[in-house]
């Protein structure tokens, strides 16, 4: 609604930016680091691998100096599990421990709050080889042991912790689980088994964090796709509600409410995909709630009904990386009201406000935006600096919708843009850039990896300096 008064961003709002270890660090085979599922992933020849990335491992001081100059209050990054435990469990790698100690100390020295993701996609290949990874219950304790070590080592300085990044994208992208089975339906079943184990592991980490880290706060970092019924037909509205349950809330309900929702339970049971729930699991989940809910938001989706017919039966599902249509449940269609990025991600700033309001209404936890940003193909110009006005426009409109959500009572801890500097995209290598700082390399030509400030760097600096007052 339009209101007479719009609230200002509160003092202490965490203006930040984000990255993840495999996308920014490089040094993939250095200083004792073990292999993760991302290191062994086969990438298309046109796309770079993760071995050098943005070379942050060697240039983190220079990068933190840029963060300081931009005025960042917070930096959200992830720890590479395989730098700490090269095999995922067992022996600890001191050089890995030292690297993150140095990184965290450098941030603290520059008055930048570290927000640490414990695990962001790069699952240790060692655990997949030992017992199959997340689909085995042993994964729960290995994750908890790893998290405990992080809390004991860095918990004196790190007060904001994120348990698992985008669990949904792990569940539905089998390579992130290390699954190689050809049968897609079987991979879905195993994905939901892994999901349950990740939920239990999350609850254990929350418990440990609360026991070990003085004044520590911890929560999951989920992805959230706001969904709209394509038409005002009740069938589309129903499909949309089901899709929200099955795609968005299914893993937050166990994590936050300590229970599986009715729609999701029926969905799993119909498909013989219900994971075995061990005695004590749900009690553990119920007793260990997160302190906040972090979420990543990039786009919304338009949803239509997809009724069963002679050609489709329950369980027929199609993917466009994530599920895109499922017989008897829903299908994603193009929203003609919205523009899209070069990769077809529909740009919808109001969708961020709606997401925040949905999450707040359902869970009543303070929210932290851990990713939001504009991916684009970019080439540094021969003269002047890169004028990334599209990114500025995208972020302005999204931040403005954070303020609108706050205006009607939603609590936010902060906003972290994706990404702090150019880093490797999840699927499109270095051809899809998100950063405030240009990193001078191409897909396969590493050039000099020099850092260059884009126009958006100065714009975000101003946003932070004015505590968001310069946002329309
Ligand atoms: C999220 C991931 C990030 C990042 C981002 C952008 O899903 O948490 O790691 O990659 O999406 O996605 P992409 O790089 O594919 O454009």
């Amino acid at each position: 609604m339009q209101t007479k008064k719009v609230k200002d961003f509160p003092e202490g709002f965490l203006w930040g930016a984000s990255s993840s270890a495999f996308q920014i660090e490089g040094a993939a085979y250095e200083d004792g680091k073990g292999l993760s599922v991302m290191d062994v992933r086969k990438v298309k020849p046109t796309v770079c691998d993760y071995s050098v990335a943005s070379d942050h491992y060697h240039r983190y001081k220079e990068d933190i100096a840029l963060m300081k100059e931009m005025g960042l209050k917070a930096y959200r990054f992830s720890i590479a599990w395989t730098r700490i435990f090269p095999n995922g469990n067992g022996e600890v790698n001191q050089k890995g421990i030292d690297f993150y100690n140095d990184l965290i100390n450098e941030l603290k020295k520059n008055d930048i709050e570290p927000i640490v993701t414990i695990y962001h996609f790069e699952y240790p290949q060692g655990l997949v080889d030992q017992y199959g990874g997340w689909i085995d219950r042993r994964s729960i304790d290995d994750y908890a042991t790893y998290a405990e070590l992080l809390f004991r080592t860095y918990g004196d300085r790190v007060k904001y912790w994120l348990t698992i990044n985008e669990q949904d994208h792990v569940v539905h992208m089998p390579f992130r689980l290390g699954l190689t089975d050809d049968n897609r339906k079987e991979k879905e079943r195993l994905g939901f088994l892994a999901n349950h184990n990740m939920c239990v592991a999350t609850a254990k980490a929350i418990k440990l964090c609360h026991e070990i880290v003085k004044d520590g706060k911890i929560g999951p970092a989920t992805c959230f796709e706001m969904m709209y019924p394509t038409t005002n037909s009740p069938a589309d509205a129903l499909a949309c509600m089901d899709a929200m349950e099955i795609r968005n809330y299914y893993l937050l309900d166990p994590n936050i409410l300590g229970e599986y929702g009715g729609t999701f339970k029926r969905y799993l049971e119909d498909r013989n995909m219900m994971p075995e729930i061990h005695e004590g699991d749900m009690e553990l989940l119920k007793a260990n709630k997160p302190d906040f809910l972090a979420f990543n938001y990039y786009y919304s989706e338009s949803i239509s009904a997809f009724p069963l017919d002679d050609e489709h039966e329950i369980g027929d599902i199609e993917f466009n990386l994530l599920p895109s249509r499922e017989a008897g449940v829903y299908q994603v269609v193009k929203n003609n009201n919205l523009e899209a990025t070069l990769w077809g991600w529909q740009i919808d700033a109001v969708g961020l406000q709606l997401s925040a309001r949905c999450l707040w209404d359902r869970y009543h936890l303070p929210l932290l935006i851990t990713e939001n940003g504009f991916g684009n193909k970019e080439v540094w110009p021969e003269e002047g600096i890169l004028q990334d006005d599209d990114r500025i426009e995208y972020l302005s409109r999204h931040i403005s919708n954070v303020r609108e959500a706050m205006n009607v009572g939603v609590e936010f801890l902060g906003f972290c843009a994706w990404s702090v500097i150019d880093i490797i995209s999840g699927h499109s290598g270095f051809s899809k850039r998100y950063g405030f700082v240009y990193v001078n390399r191409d897909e396969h030509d590493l050039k000099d990896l020099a850092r260059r400030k884009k126009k958006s760097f100065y714009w975000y600096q101003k946003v932070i300096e004015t505590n968001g007052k310069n946002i329309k």
Side-chain angles (χ1 to χ4, degrees):
M1 77 183 157
Q2 291 170 302
T3 57
K4 277 193 189 164
K5 201 170 177 292
V6 179
K7 272 190 188 169
D8 285 335
F9 285 94
E11 282 306 311
F13 187 77
L14 293 172
W15 293 105
S18 295
S19 74
S20 87
F22 77 94
Q23 292 173 284
I24 195 169
E25 283 177 7
Y29 311 108
E30 276 179 50
D31 288 346
K33 180 181 165 298
L35 291 181
S36 77
V37 295
M38 301 313 296
D39 298 315
V40 304
R41 184 189 177 201
K42 287 203 172 54
V43 289
K44 289 185 256 162
T46 47
V47 168
C48 61
D49 64 19
Y50 304 105
S51 55
V52 179
S54 306
D55 199 32
H56 178 70
Y57 189 80
H58 299 115
R59 298 170 194 240
Y60 71 92
K61 285 199 177 159
E62 181 187 350
D63 292 339
I64 291 173
L66 284 163
M67 294 179 210
K68 174 78 177 169
E69 189 185 336
M70 197 163 31
L72 287 195
K73 307 284 183 214
Y75 173 44
R76 179 248 179 169
F77 62 98
S78 72
I79 290 184
W81 189 333
T82 53
R83 275 197 205 287
I84 307 293
F85 285 102
N87 288 317
N89 56 10
E91 214 168 299
V92 174
N93 175 32
Q94 190 56 42
K95 286 194 172 158
I97 298 270
D98 295 345
F99 171 68
Y100 294 109
N101 257 326
D102 293 345
L103 180 73
I104 291 164
N105 289 341
E106 190 70 16
L107 288 168
K108 297 296 282 186
K109 204 169 88 188
N110 285 285
D111 294 319
I112 300 171
E113 188 74 45
I115 300 176
V116 172
T117 317
I118 296 171
Y119 153 56
H120 189 128
F121 296 157
E122 51 189 321
Y123 195 70
Q125 184 59 33
L127 300 183
V128 176
D129 296 340
Q130 286 172 53
Y131 51 69
W134 279 122
I135 58 173
D136 187 286
R137 294 280 297 190
R138 280 172 279 184
S139 61
I140 298 172
D141 283 340
D142 280 336
Y143 173 83
T145 304
Y146 162 55
E148 179 173 356
L149 180 69
L150 300 189
F151 299 146
R152 293 201 187 281
T153 312
Y154 308 120
D156 56 335
R157 287 150 291 156
V158 176
K159 300 299 171 189
Y160 291 94
W161 294 91
L162 303 164
T163 53
I164 295 180
N165 179 70
E166 294 193 346
Q167 191 168 314
D168 176 65
H169 288 213
V170 180
V171 170
H172 290 299
M173 294 187 198
F175 68 90
R176 291 191 172 145
L177 285 166
L179 296 180
T180 48
D181 198 308
D182 283 341
N183 180 339
R184 183 71 220 214
K185 276 196 184 149
E186 180 57 5
K187 283 188 201 161
E188 274 296 284
R189 189 187 71 77
L190 293 173
F192 289 122
L193 174 61
N195 181 58
H196 182 72
N197 292 340
M198 284 190 266
C199 287
V200 178
T202 295
K204 284 206 165 186
I206 291 173
K207 185 168 189 288
L208 286 163
C209 181
H210 289 154
E211 284 165 8
I212 298 167
V213 182
K214 189 169 171 285
D215 302 326
K217 290 189 195 310
I218 184 163
T222 197
C223 54
F224 197 88
E225 274 102 39
M226 188 61 212
M227 295 174 179
Y228 308 128
T230 303
T231 69
N232 58 8
S233 80
D236 282 357
L238 190 61
C240 183
M241 187 178 258
D242 286 341
M244 287 281 272
E245 295 285 338
I246 288 161
R247 291 274 311 281
N248 285 322
Y249 297 129
Y250 75 98
L251 52 87
L252 292 174
D253 283 0
N255 272 333
I256 300 169
L257 307 176
E259 61 196 28
Y260 278 99
T263 311
F264 184 54
K265 248 209 264 183
R266 168 55 48 223
Y267 172 88
L268 291 178
E269 283 166 1
D270 270 5
R271 289 159 181 75
N272 294 320
M273 288 186 181
M274 190 72 199
E276 193 190 340
I277 296 178
H278 286 224
E279 209 186 312
D281 282 357
M282 299 321 283
E283 290 70 17
L284 184 79
L285 284 159
K286 252 200 170 62
N288 295 285
K289 301 206 168 166
D291 304 294
F292 62 87
L293 171 55
F295 73 104
N296 303 341
Y297 174 86
Y298 290 92
Y299 56 81
S300 63
E301 288 184 337
S302 182
I303 302 292
S304 296
F306 182 17
L308 298 173
D309 56 25
D310 289 347
E311 284 160 39
H312 297 98
E313 58 182 34
I314 286 197
D316 283 356
I317 180 165
E318 287 170 31
F319 292 85
N320 182 4
L321 276 178
L322 291 170
S324 58
R325 57 197 233 130
E326 174 147 17
V329 195
Y330 72 99
Q331 57 186 320
V332 179
V333 301
K334 188 168 177 285
N335 185 338
N336 293 321
N337 297 302
L338 299 173
E339 291 183 358
T341 68
L342 294 175
W343 286 265
W345 293 15
Q346 302 201 129
I347 302 169
D348 180 12
V350 173
L352 175 56
Q353 182 187 162
L354 289 164
S355 304
R357 290 172 62 170
C358 285
L359 289 169
W360 174 256
D361 287 349
R362 191 166 176 122
Y363 301 118
H364 265 281
L365 284 177
L367 302 174
L368 171 65
I369 292 183
T370 34
E371 289 182 30
N372 175 242
F374 182 74
N376 207 1
K377 287 195 180 173
E378 289 169 338
V379 180
W380 193 262
E382 301 222 329
E383 273 178 34
I385 63 166
L386 195 121
Q387 308 284 324
D388 52 343
D389 293 290
D390 288 351
R391 176 165 299 110
I392 293 173
E393 174 71 14
Y394 179 101
L395 286 169
S396 294
R397 289 173 52 208
H398 284 76
I399 293 172
S400 156
N401 273 280
V402 170
R403 185 168 49 198
E404 295 289 333
M406 287 190 340
N407 202 35
V408 293
V410 180
E411 275 179 40
F412 279 94
L413 297 174
F415 176 91
C416 296
W418 185 268
S419 53
V420 63
I421 62 173
D422 286 343
I423 62 181
I424 298 189
S425 141
H427 306 280
S428 311
F430 243 90
S431 307
K432 191 179 188 187
R433 295 171 184 262
Y434 283 91
F436 294 115
V437 174
Y438 186 88
V439 173
N440 190 35
R441 66 162 285 184
D442 283 343
E443 216 59 75
H444 295 295
D445 180 357
L446 293 176
K447 299 188 175 171
D448 58 5
L449 287 152
R451 276 61 172 147
R452 297 171 183 167
K453 292 170 238 169
K454 302 180 193 176
K455 185 175 177 184
S456 59
F457 178 97
Y458 299 103
W459 167 81
Y460 200 45
Q461 189 179 52
K462 197 86 199 149
V463 172
I464 301 171
E465 197 183 292
T466 61
N467 202 23
K469 285 202 175 65
N470 68 332
I471 300 276
K472 280 176 264 157

Coordinates of all heavy atoms in Angstrom, one line a residue, residues 26-77:
G26 N 39.7 -19.2 -5.3 CA 40.8 -19.9 -6.1 C 41.6 -20.7 -5.2 O 41.2 -21.2 -4.2
A27 N 42.9 -20.9 -5.6 CA 43.9 -21.7 -4.8 C 43.2 -23.0 -4.4 O 43.3 -23.5 -3.3 CB 44.3 -20.9 -3.5
A28 N 42.5 -23.6 -5.4 CA 41.7 -24.8 -5.1 C 42.6 -26.0 -4.7 O 42.0 -26.9 -4.1 CB 40.9 -25.1 -6.4
Y29 N 43.8 -26.0 -5.1 CA 44.7 -27.2 -4.8 C 45.8 -26.8 -3.9 O 46.8 -27.5 -3.8 CB 45.2 -27.8 -6.1 CG 44.0 -28.0 -7.1 CD1 43.9 -27.3 -8.2 CD2 43.0 -29.0 -6.8 CE1 42.9 -27.4 -9.1 CE2 42.0 -29.1 -7.7 CZ 41.9 -28.4 -8.8 OH 40.8 -28.5 -9.7
E30 N 45.7 -25.6 -3.2 CA 46.9 -25.1 -2.4 C 46.7 -25.4 -0.9 O 45.6 -25.4 -0.4 CB 47.0 -23.6 -2.7 CG 47.8 -23.3 -3.9 CD 48.0 -21.8 -4.1 OE1 48.3 -21.1 -3.2 OE2 47.7 -21.4 -5.3
D31 N 47.8 -25.4 -0.3 CA 47.9 -25.4 1.2 C 47.0 -26.5 1.8 O 46.3 -26.2 2.9 CB 47.5 -24.0 1.8 CG 48.6 -23.0 1.5 OD1 49.7 -23.4 1.2 OD2 48.3 -21.8 1.6
G32 N 47.0 -27.6 1.2 CA 46.4 -28.8 1.9 C 44.9 -28.9 1.7 O 44.2 -29.8 2.2
K33 N 44.3 -28.0 0.8 CA 42.8 -28.1 0.6 C 42.5 -29.4 0.0 O 43.1 -29.8 -1.0 CB 42.4 -26.9 -0.2 CG 40.9 -26.9 -0.5 CD 40.4 -25.8 -1.3 CE 39.0 -26.0 -1.9 NZ 38.9 -27.1 -2.7
G34 N 41.4 -30.0 0.4 CA 40.9 -31.3 -0.2 C 39.9 -30.9 -1.3 O 39.6 -29.8 -1.6
L35 N 39.5 -32.0 -2.0 CA 38.6 -31.7 -3.2 C 37.1 -31.7 -2.7 O 36.7 -32.4 -1.9 CB 38.7 -32.9 -4.2 CG 40.0 -33.0 -5.0 CD1 39.9 -34.2 -5.9 CD2 40.3 -31.7 -5.7
S36 N 36.4 -30.7 -3.3 CA 35.0 -30.7 -3.1 C 34.2 -31.1 -4.3 O 34.8 -31.3 -5.4 CB 34.6 -29.2 -2.7 OG 34.5 -28.5 -3.9
V37 N 32.9 -31.3 -4.2 CA 32.1 -31.7 -5.3 C 32.2 -30.6 -6.4 O 32.0 -30.9 -7.6 CB 30.6 -31.9 -5.0 CG1 30.5 -33.1 -4.1 CG2 29.9 -30.7 -4.3
M38 N 32.5 -29.4 -6.1 CA 32.6 -28.3 -7.1 C 33.9 -28.5 -7.8 O 34.0 -28.2 -9.0 CB 32.5 -26.9 -6.4 CG 31.2 -26.6 -5.7 SD 29.7 -27.1 -6.6 CE 29.8 -26.0 -7.9
D39 N 35.0 -28.9 -7.2 CA 36.2 -29.1 -7.8 C 36.2 -30.2 -8.9 O 36.8 -30.2 -9.9 CB 37.4 -29.4 -6.8 CG 37.6 -28.3 -5.8 OD1 37.6 -27.1 -6.3 OD2 37.7 -28.5 -4.6
V40 N 35.4 -31.3 -8.6 CA 35.4 -32.4 -9.5 C 34.3 -32.3 -10.5 O 34.2 -33.1 -11.4 CB 35.2 -33.8 -8.7 CG1 36.3 -33.9 -7.7 CG2 33.9 -33.9 -8.1
R41 N 33.5 -31.2 -10.4 CA 32.4 -31.1 -11.3 C 32.9 -30.8 -12.7 O 33.8 -30.0 -12.9 CB 31.5 -29.9 -10.9 CG 30.3 -29.6 -11.7 CD 29.7 -28.3 -11.4 NE 28.5 -28.2 -12.3 CZ 28.0 -27.0 -12.6 NH1 28.4 -25.9 -12.0 NH2 26.9 -27.0 -13.4
K42 N 32.3 -31.5 -13.7 CA 32.8 -31.3 -15.1 C 32.0 -30.1 -15.6 O 30.8 -30.0 -15.6 CB 32.4 -32.5 -16.0 CG 33.2 -33.7 -15.7 CD 33.2 -34.7 -16.9 CE 34.2 -35.8 -16.7 NZ 34.1 -36.5 -15.4
V43 N 32.8 -29.1 -16.1 CA 32.2 -27.8 -16.6 C 32.3 -27.8 -18.1 O 33.2 -28.5 -18.7 CB 32.8 -26.6 -16.0 CG1 32.4 -26.4 -14.6 CG2 34.3 -26.5 -16.2
K44 N 31.5 -27.1 -18.8 CA 31.5 -27.0 -20.2 C 32.8 -26.4 -20.6 O 33.3 -25.5 -19.9 CB 30.4 -26.1 -20.7 CG 29.0 -26.7 -20.6 CD 28.0 -25.8 -21.2 CE 27.2 -25.1 -20.2 NZ 26.4 -24.0 -20.4
P45 N 33.4 -26.7 -21.8 CA 34.7 -26.2 -22.2 C 34.7 -24.7 -22.3 O 35.7 -24.0 -22.2 CB 35.0 -26.8 -23.5 CG 33.9 -27.7 -23.8 CD 32.9 -27.7 -22.7
T46 N 33.5 -24.1 -22.6 CA 33.4 -22.6 -22.8 C 33.4 -21.9 -21.4 O 33.5 -20.7 -21.4 CB 32.1 -22.3 -23.5 OG1 31.1 -23.0 -22.8 CG2 32.2 -22.7 -25.0
V47 N 33.3 -22.6 -20.4 CA 33.2 -22.0 -19.0 C 34.5 -22.3 -18.2 O 34.9 -23.5 -18.3 CB 31.9 -22.5 -18.4 CG1 31.9 -22.1 -16.9 CG2 30.7 -22.0 -19.1
C48 N 34.9 -21.4 -17.4 CA 36.1 -21.6 -16.6 C 35.8 -22.6 -15.4 O 34.7 -22.7 -15.0 CB 36.7 -20.3 -16.1 SG 35.6 -19.4 -15.0
D49 N 36.9 -23.2 -14.9 CA 36.7 -24.0 -13.7 C 36.9 -23.1 -12.5 O 37.1 -21.9 -12.6 CB 37.6 -25.2 -13.7 CG 39.1 -24.8 -13.7 OD1 39.4 -23.7 -13.3 OD2 40.0 -25.6 -14.1
Y50 N 37.0 -23.7 -11.3 CA 37.0 -22.9 -10.1 C 38.4 -22.8 -9.5 O 38.6 -22.3 -8.4 CB 36.1 -23.5 -9.0 CG 34.7 -23.6 -9.5 CD1 34.1 -24.9 -9.8 CD2 33.9 -22.5 -9.6 CE1 32.8 -25.0 -10.3 CE2 32.6 -22.6 -10.1 CZ 32.1 -23.9 -10.4 OH 30.8 -24.0 -10.9
S51 N 39.5 -23.2 -10.3 CA 40.8 -23.3 -9.7 C 41.4 -22.0 -9.3 O 42.1 -21.9 -8.3 CB 41.7 -24.1 -10.7 OG 41.7 -23.5 -11.9
V52 N 41.1 -20.9 -10.1 CA 41.7 -19.6 -9.8 C 40.7 -18.6 -9.3 O 40.9 -17.8 -8.4 CB 42.5 -19.0 -11.0 CG1 43.1 -17.6 -10.6 CG2 43.6 -20.0 -11.5
A53 N 39.5 -18.7 -9.8 CA 38.4 -17.8 -9.4 C 38.8 -16.4 -9.5 O 39.4 -15.9 -10.5 CB 37.8 -18.2 -8.1
S54 N 38.6 -15.6 -8.4 CA 39.1 -14.2 -8.4 C 40.4 -14.1 -7.6 O 40.8 -13.0 -7.2 CB 38.0 -13.3 -7.7 OG 36.8 -13.5 -8.4
D55 N 41.0 -15.2 -7.3 CA 42.3 -15.2 -6.6 C 42.3 -14.5 -5.2 O 43.3 -14.0 -4.8 CB 43.4 -14.6 -7.5 CG 44.8 -15.0 -7.0 OD1 44.9 -16.1 -6.5 OD2 45.7 -14.2 -7.2
H56 N 41.1 -14.5 -4.6 CA 40.9 -13.8 -3.3 C 41.8 -14.4 -2.2 O 42.2 -13.7 -1.3 CB 39.4 -14.0 -2.9 CG 39.0 -13.4 -1.6 ND1 39.0 -12.0 -1.4 CD2 38.6 -14.0 -0.5 CE1 38.5 -11.8 -0.2 NE2 38.3 -13.0 0.4
Y57 N 42.1 -15.7 -2.4 CA 42.9 -16.4 -1.4 C 44.3 -15.7 -1.2 O 44.8 -15.5 -0.1 CB 43.2 -17.9 -1.8 CG 43.9 -18.7 -0.8 CD1 43.1 -19.3 0.3 CD2 45.2 -19.0 -0.8 CE1 43.8 -20.1 1.3 CE2 45.9 -19.8 0.1 CZ 45.1 -20.3 1.1 OH 45.7 -21.1 2.1
H58 N 44.8 -15.2 -2.4 CA 46.1 -14.5 -2.3 C 45.9 -12.9 -2.2 O 46.9 -12.2 -1.9 CB 46.9 -14.8 -3.5 CG 47.2 -16.2 -3.6 ND1 46.8 -17.0 -4.7 CD2 47.9 -17.1 -2.8 CE1 47.2 -18.3 -4.5 NE2 47.9 -18.3 -3.4
R59 N 44.7 -12.4 -2.5 CA 44.5 -11.0 -2.6 C 43.5 -10.5 -1.6 O 42.9 -9.4 -1.7 CB 44.1 -10.6 -4.0 CG 45.1 -10.9 -5.1 CD 44.4 -10.7 -6.4 NE 45.3 -11.4 -7.4 CZ 45.9 -10.7 -8.4 NH1 45.7 -9.5 -8.6 NH2 46.7 -11.4 -9.3
Y60 N 43.2 -11.3 -0.5 CA 42.1 -10.9 0.4 C 42.4 -9.5 1.1 O 41.4 -8.8 1.3 CB 41.8 -12.0 1.4 CG 42.9 -12.2 2.5 CD1 42.8 -11.5 3.7 CD2 44.0 -13.0 2.3 CE1 43.7 -11.6 4.7 CE2 44.9 -13.1 3.3 CZ 44.8 -12.4 4.5 OH 45.8 -12.6 5.4
K61 N 43.6 -9.2 1.3 CA 43.9 -7.9 2.0 C 43.5 -6.7 1.1 O 42.9 -5.8 1.5 CB 45.3 -7.8 2.4 CG 45.7 -8.6 3.6 CD 46.9 -8.2 4.3 CE 47.1 -9.1 5.5 NZ 48.4 -9.2 6.0
E62 N 43.9 -6.9 -0.2 CA 43.5 -5.8 -1.2 C 42.0 -5.7 -1.3 O 41.4 -4.7 -1.3 CB 44.1 -6.2 -2.5 CG 43.8 -5.3 -3.6 CD 44.3 -5.8 -5.0 OE1 45.1 -6.8 -5.0 OE2 44.0 -5.2 -6.0
D63 N 41.3 -6.9 -1.3 CA 39.8 -6.9 -1.4 C 39.2 -6.3 -0.2 O 38.2 -5.6 -0.3 CB 39.3 -8.4 -1.6 CG 39.8 -8.9 -3.0 OD1 40.1 -8.0 -3.9 OD2 39.8 -10.1 -3.2
I64 N 39.7 -6.6 1.0 CA 39.1 -6.0 2.2 C 39.4 -4.5 2.2 O 38.5 -3.8 2.7 CB 39.6 -6.8 3.5 CG1 39.1 -8.2 3.5 CG2 39.2 -6.0 4.7 CD1 39.7 -9.1 4.6
A65 N 40.5 -4.1 1.7 CA 40.7 -2.6 1.7 C 39.6 -1.9 0.8 O 39.1 -0.9 1.1 CB 42.1 -2.3 1.1
L66 N 39.3 -2.6 -0.3 CA 38.2 -2.1 -1.2 C 36.9 -2.1 -0.4 O 36.1 -1.1 -0.5 CB 38.1 -2.9 -2.4 CG 39.2 -2.7 -3.5 CD1 39.2 -3.8 -4.5 CD2 38.9 -1.3 -4.2
M67 N 36.6 -3.1 0.3 CA 35.4 -3.2 1.1 C 35.3 -2.0 2.1 O 34.3 -1.4 2.3 CB 35.3 -4.5 1.9 CG 35.1 -5.8 1.0 SD 35.1 -7.2 2.1 CE 35.8 -8.4 1.0
K68 N 36.4 -1.8 2.7 CA 36.5 -0.7 3.7 C 36.2 0.6 3.0 O 35.5 1.5 3.5 CB 37.9 -0.7 4.3 CG 38.2 0.4 5.2 CD 37.6 0.2 6.6 CE 37.9 1.4 7.5 NZ 37.1 1.3 8.7
E69 N 36.9 0.8 1.8 CA 36.7 2.1 1.1 C 35.2 2.2 0.7 O 34.7 3.3 0.7 CB 37.6 2.0 -0.2 CG 37.6 3.4 -0.9 CD 38.4 3.3 -2.2 OE1 39.3 2.4 -2.4 OE2 38.1 4.1 -3.1
M70 N 34.5 1.1 0.3 CA 33.1 1.2 0.0 C 32.3 1.5 1.2 O 31.1 1.9 1.1 CB 32.7 -0.2 -0.7 CG 31.4 0.0 -1.5 SD 31.1 -1.4 -2.7 CE 31.9 -2.8 -2.0
G71 N 32.8 1.2 2.4 CA 32.1 1.5 3.6 C 31.3 0.3 4.1 O 30.4 0.5 5.0
L72 N 31.5 -0.9 3.6 CA 30.7 -2.1 4.0 C 30.7 -2.2 5.5 O 31.8 -2.1 6.2 CB 31.3 -3.4 3.4 CG 31.1 -3.7 2.0 CD1 31.4 -5.1 1.7 CD2 29.7 -3.3 1.5
K73 N 29.6 -2.5 6.1 CA 29.4 -2.8 7.5 C 29.6 -4.3 7.8 O 29.9 -4.7 8.9 CB 28.1 -2.3 8.0 CG 27.7 -0.9 7.7 CD 28.4 0.0 8.7 CE 28.0 1.5 8.4 NZ 29.1 2.4 8.6
A74 N 29.3 -5.1 6.7 CA 29.3 -6.5 6.9 C 29.8 -7.2 5.6 O 29.6 -6.7 4.5 CB 27.9 -7.0 7.2
Y75 N 30.5 -8.3 5.8 CA 30.9 -9.1 4.6 C 30.5 -10.5 4.9 O 30.9 -11.1 5.9 CB 32.4 -9.0 4.4 CG 33.0 -9.9 3.3 CD1 32.4 -10.1 2.1 CD2 34.2 -10.7 3.6 CE1 32.9 -10.9 1.1 CE2 34.7 -11.5 2.6 CZ 34.0 -11.7 1.4 OH 34.5 -12.5 0.4
R76 N 29.7 -11.0 4.0 CA 29.2 -12.4 4.1 C 30.0 -13.3 3.1 O 30.0 -13.1 1.9 CB 27.7 -12.4 3.7 CG 27.1 -13.8 3.8 CD 26.7 -14.3 2.5 NE 26.1 -15.7 2.5 CZ 25.5 -16.3 1.5 NH1 25.4 -15.7 0.4 NH2 25.0 -17.5 1.7
F77 N 30.7 -14.3 3.7 CA 31.5 -15.2 2.9 C 31.3 -16.6 3.5 O 30.8 -16.7 4.6 CB 33.0 -14.7 3.0 CG 33.6 -14.8 4.4 CD1 34.3 -15.9 4.8 CD2 33.4 -13.7 5.3 CE1 34.9 -15.9 6.1 CE2 33.9 -13.8 6.5 CZ 34.7 -14.9 6.9

